[in-house]
Amino acid sequence: MDTVDFEIWMFIAGLGIFLFGMFHLETGLKGLAGNSFKKLLQRFTDKRWKGILTGSFVTAILQSSSLVTLLVLAFLGAGMISLQNSLGVVFGANLGTTVTAWIVATVGFKLDIADLSYPFLAIGSLSYLLLDSRPVLKNWGSFLIGFGLLFLGLDFMKTSIEDVAGQVDLSLYANVGLWIFLLIGLITTVLIQSSSAMIVIVLSALNAELISIHQSVAMIIGANIGTTSTLIIASFNGTADKKRLAAANVIFNLVAGAVSFLLLRQMVYFTIQYLGIREPLLELVFLNTLINLIGIVLFFPFIPAFARFMNRQFVKSEPSGTCLYIKNVDPEVSDVALQALDNEISRVYTLVEEFILDCLLIDKNGNHRSSRIRNIFRAEKNLLETYAQLKSIEDEITDYYTQIQRFKLTQSEADLTANYLIRVRSMIIAAKNIKDVIPNIKEMSDSEDPVAVEILGRLQDFAVKNLNKLSSQAPEGMGREEISKLQREYEDFYILTVNYLYKNIPPKAQLSVSVSSITNAIRKIVSALEELITSVNHPESTNNMGTEPAATVAGTLPTGSQVRPPQGRD
């Protein structure tokens, strides 16, 4: 009895050491090359087949399909990758996890792996503990600790199973259906939350001749289905994208598992008779790889249709809020969160630009959107609703900014997030300036007075010209000289337009639109465009502007010496 208890605890200890080794291995690799793998996932996932290959490669290196799936979810939420291509990455990640089994089968059962683990543990532990000030070497230490613990845990499990293998009569299991072993593999994987660890357990049992090849393959199929529980658990109370990806992963593994289970005996026969793989351990890991390949082959042609189907699911779980990108991205993944913020800022600029044009009753080409008769009945409520939406987006971005600040950011990342907040504030101020003169613009548009109509036309032309100019500058930002030049142009336009108004006021008469309404419209529209200068600038361009705000014309309107009372008519 004591012997049995010892062997059970030895097996559990081996499992724990193995899982702890996987943790250290993942942590070390994330520190050494985490950003590189993020860039790789982002760059090489624009095609389905690229997504599958990239997912397989990155998972094979990191040995964590959960980590890869987390990154894919972040990219998906930020709009950096489509659901269609993210499915390819997740399917490839299932294939990448089989690398652990190949390493264990080819090395773990051929050598004295306990002795092999000692140098890794010795060097890794010392590096991890003594080189805290050298992050790269510390990460290498974590990687070596993980590698050593993997082998040490494997040795514990292998030894404990070999000790009891001689006490088990295999004939007792001869008539047990293979589906029982499938369930054992599934349930055990759900409990230990690691398909890699389950595969090592099955390999150990197969090596000790505790189970047959057919039974071990059935357990592997169960393990592949059971590993989806990790993502299912993570998707509880998650976003719609997370639930879609989790459900897609479950469907993929269920289909691949069902097909493989139905063809299990034929697959084993094929590998022995036609491929000549007679070593049980190699045969098992080959079939494990083949099972995932079958799933990829079955799903690959239908990924676009499958993605469309999944997009229609979990609609009720879509995150609330007006923003499109940041609500789907975990702020802890800082670089992806910043990309989501950048996408959101670009969207806000587009919305503000459209709002300004709507208020001015024109499109981006300067064409009038509607006739004067329709302008009379134009619903001001819709424009005010649009402005309220812009304010709501600003509040959500500000809240997201505070969430990002809770995590450790580099100085450049902190500067970038602050710049994003400055830019979105400038956009909202620009929208407010336009919103404040909606009644003045409507009054001028409805007027028959030639002066009011002429000035509104000038304002519309000026707005279209400069919005197009600012849009073309947005990707690169502007330098100090370009900013100063634009500010001078805005000041000159303001002076000329107000002078035109003053010179063309009819003597001893009043315009059908009050002078104060027209001057207010001129000032606010110019101020709005000036605020947009800040909104299209990147940090380096903003820094070049010094400490003065962008809106110098709006803040210091020309004095009486610049805008002269009328001396006559043009």
Side-chain angles (χ1 to χ4, degrees):
M1 184 71 181
D2 292 337
T3 303
V4 174
D5 288 341
F6 173 76
E7 288 167 349
I8 291 173
W9 284 113
M10 185 179 186
F11 174 81
I12 295 174
L15 178 61
I17 292 170
F18 183 88
L19 292 173
F20 194 51
M22 290 288 291
F23 168 78
H24 268 287
L25 195 66
E26 179 183 322
T27 302
L29 284 169
K30 280 170 61 179
L32 289 170
N35 289 331
S36 299
F37 288 129
K38 287 178 187 177
K39 292 175 182 176
L40 186 68
L41 278 173
Q42 182 183 350
R43 184 178 177 185
F44 294 104
T45 52
D46 55 331
K47 304 285 186 184
R48 283 175 287 160
W49 63 271
K50 283 186 181 180
I52 291 171
L53 291 178
T54 304
S56 301
F57 173 74
V58 174
T59 307
I61 301 298
L62 292 180
Q63 278 306 292
S64 174
S65 58
S66 299
L67 173 61
V68 173
T69 303
L70 175 64
L71 292 175
V72 170
L73 280 169
F75 292 147
L76 180 62
M80 297 160 64
I81 180 175
S82 67
L83 178 62
Q84 176 178 314
N85 294 335
S86 67
L87 290 175
V89 177
V90 172
F91 296 164
N94 283 280
L95 182 62
T97 55
T98 63
V99 171
T100 301
W102 281 101
I103 294 172
V104 171
T106 54
V107 177
F109 292 92
K110 310 295 182 184
L111 305 172
D112 188 342
I113 50 177
D115 290 342
L116 186 64
S117 68
Y118 299 149
F120 291 109
L121 290 171
I123 298 171
S125 300
L126 292 174
S127 300
Y128 188 81
L129 294 172
L130 302 179
L131 299 174
D132 194 54
S133 59
R134 304 285 294 276
V136 174
L137 294 177
K138 183 176 181 178
N139 285 323
W140 271 112
S142 181
F143 171 79
L144 293 174
I145 289 173
F147 212 69
L149 290 176
L150 284 182
F151 285 127
L152 187 61
L154 173 60
D155 183 71
F156 274 38
M157 286 188 284
K158 184 180 72 170
T159 303
S160 62
I161 289 177
E162 286 174 346
D163 287 345
V164 299
Q167 305 171 29
V168 178
D169 185 3
L170 275 177
S171 62
L172 297 175
Y173 300 100
N175 297 321
V176 174
L178 293 178
W179 63 272
I180 292 292
F181 290 91
L182 185 147
L183 285 178
I184 292 172
L186 190 155
I187 294 169
T188 306
T189 305
V190 169
L191 292 175
I192 65 176
Q193 288 292 291
S194 173
S195 60
S196 295
M198 183 61 202
I199 289 169
V200 171
I201 293 172
V202 175
L203 284 169
S204 300
L206 181 62
N207 182 66
E209 297 182 354
L210 196 61
I211 54 177
S212 69
I213 183 64
H214 294 87
Q215 293 165 344
S216 62
V217 173
M219 292 181 73
I220 291 296
I221 293 173
N224 286 338
I225 298 172
T227 192
T228 61
S229 62
T230 303
L231 198 51
I232 292 172
I233 293 169
S235 69
F236 287 158
N237 299 321
T239 62
D241 284 335
K242 184 173 283 190
K243 291 180 179 179
R244 287 172 188 140
L245 215 55
N249 194 35
V250 171
I251 294 170
F252 172 84
N253 281 284
L254 278 174
V255 172
V259 172
S260 300
F261 188 73
L262 291 174
L263 300 175
L264 191 154
R265 296 187 185 279
Q266 289 83 348
M267 289 166 57
V268 172
Y269 180 80
F270 175 79
T271 55
I272 295 174
Q273 297 299 322
Y274 291 95
L275 298 182
I277 304 176
R278 300 184 182 278
E279 169 64 42
L281 297 182
L282 293 180
E283 186 178 3
L284 180 60
V285 295
F286 173 80
L287 289 170
N288 181 35
T289 304
L290 183 61
I291 290 166
N292 286 284
L293 279 174
I294 288 173
I296 291 172
V297 171
L298 289 174
F299 275 84
F300 184 79
F302 307 105
I303 287 179
F306 189 44
R308 289 193 296 271
F309 168 76
M310 295 309 303
N311 269 323
R312 294 193 294 269
Q313 312 307 312
F314 306 106
V315 176
K316 292 183 179 180
S317 297
E318 291 281 1
S320 59
T322 316
C323 291
L324 289 183
Y325 302 103
I326 58 176
K327 65 183 180 182
N328 294 314
V329 179
D330 188 341
E332 186 175 0
V333 189
S334 61
D335 49 349
V336 183
L338 291 177
Q339 181 62 56
L341 262 179
D342 189 71
N343 291 342
E344 207 70 69
I345 297 297
S346 297
R347 173 174 173 259
V348 174
Y349 180 85
T350 300
L351 292 174
V352 169
E353 184 181 62
E354 291 175 355
F355 177 73
I356 292 173
L357 293 171
D358 281 341
C359 291
L360 289 171
L361 311 176
I362 51 175
D363 61 23
K364 203 163 185 179
N365 296 318
N367 301 317
H368 289 266
R369 292 186 184 271
S370 56
S371 67
R372 182 166 297 180
I373 297 297
R374 291 175 64 189
N375 286 344
I376 293 174
F377 300 101
R378 186 179 179 86
E380 207 172 290
K381 179 183 177 183
N382 292 337
L383 294 174
L384 296 179
E385 285 178 352
T386 302
Y387 178 71
Q389 179 189 24
L390 290 169
K391 288 285 294 176
S392 176
I393 292 174
E394 182 190 21
D395 291 340
E396 290 176 29
I397 289 175
T398 303
D399 180 63
Y400 194 71
Y401 168 81
T402 59
Q403 293 180 50
I404 291 177
Q405 296 301 309
R406 297 172 188 162
F407 302 100
K408 188 175 181 180
L409 300 176
T410 64
Q411 186 59 50
S412 61
E413 289 175 337
D415 292 341
L416 189 59
T417 53
N419 176 258
Y420 283 143
L421 221 57
I422 293 170
R423 289 170 62 188
V424 76
R425 182 87 281 265
S426 296
M427 294 178 201
I428 302 305
I429 292 173
K432 182 183 184 302
N433 284 331
I434 294 293
K435 186 264 298 182
D436 290 343
V437 292
I438 290 175
N440 302 138
I441 294 170
K442 186 176 184 299
E443 191 179 2
M444 293 166 70
S445 174
D446 295 343
S447 172
E448 298 290 341
D449 192 290
V451 176
V453 173
E454 171 64 22
I455 289 177
L456 179 59
R458 290 188 181 191
L459 289 171
Q460 290 170 332
D461 292 342
F462 184 75
V464 169
K465 171 188 171 185
N466 284 280
L467 285 174
N468 288 330
K469 184 184 293 184
L470 290 172
S471 295
S472 66
Q473 294 286 349
E476 295 83 17
M478 291 184 291
R480 186 173 181 177
E481 291 183 4
E482 293 173 291
I483 293 169
S484 298
K485 182 181 177 182
L486 270 182
Q487 289 175 338
R488 288 193 299 269
E489 288 179 7
Y490 290 1
E491 183 177 348
D492 291 343
F493 174 80
Y494 176 84
I495 294 170
L496 289 172
T497 307
V498 174
N499 271 332
Y500 173 83
L501 171 64
Y502 286 167
K503 289 178 182 179
N504 288 278
I505 297 175
K508 298 182 181 180
Q510 288 188 345
L511 293 166
S512 60
V513 182
S514 67
V515 174
S516 62
S517 294
I518 297 175
T519 54
N520 189 45
I522 297 169
R523 181 174 65 87
K524 289 285 190 177
I525 291 170
V526 173
S527 298
L529 293 170
E530 282 201 297
E531 287 293 342
L532 289 184
I533 294 177
T534 302
S535 71
V536 301
N537 278 322
H538 296 173
E540 58 271 19
S541 302
T542 307
N543 293 338
N544 287 336
M545 296 170 64
T547 57
E548 295 297 323
T552 54
V553 180
T556 56
L557 292 175
T559 62
S561 60
Q562 295 169 305
V563 181
R564 297 178 293 280
Q567 301 297 321
R569 296 172 66 91
D570 284 347

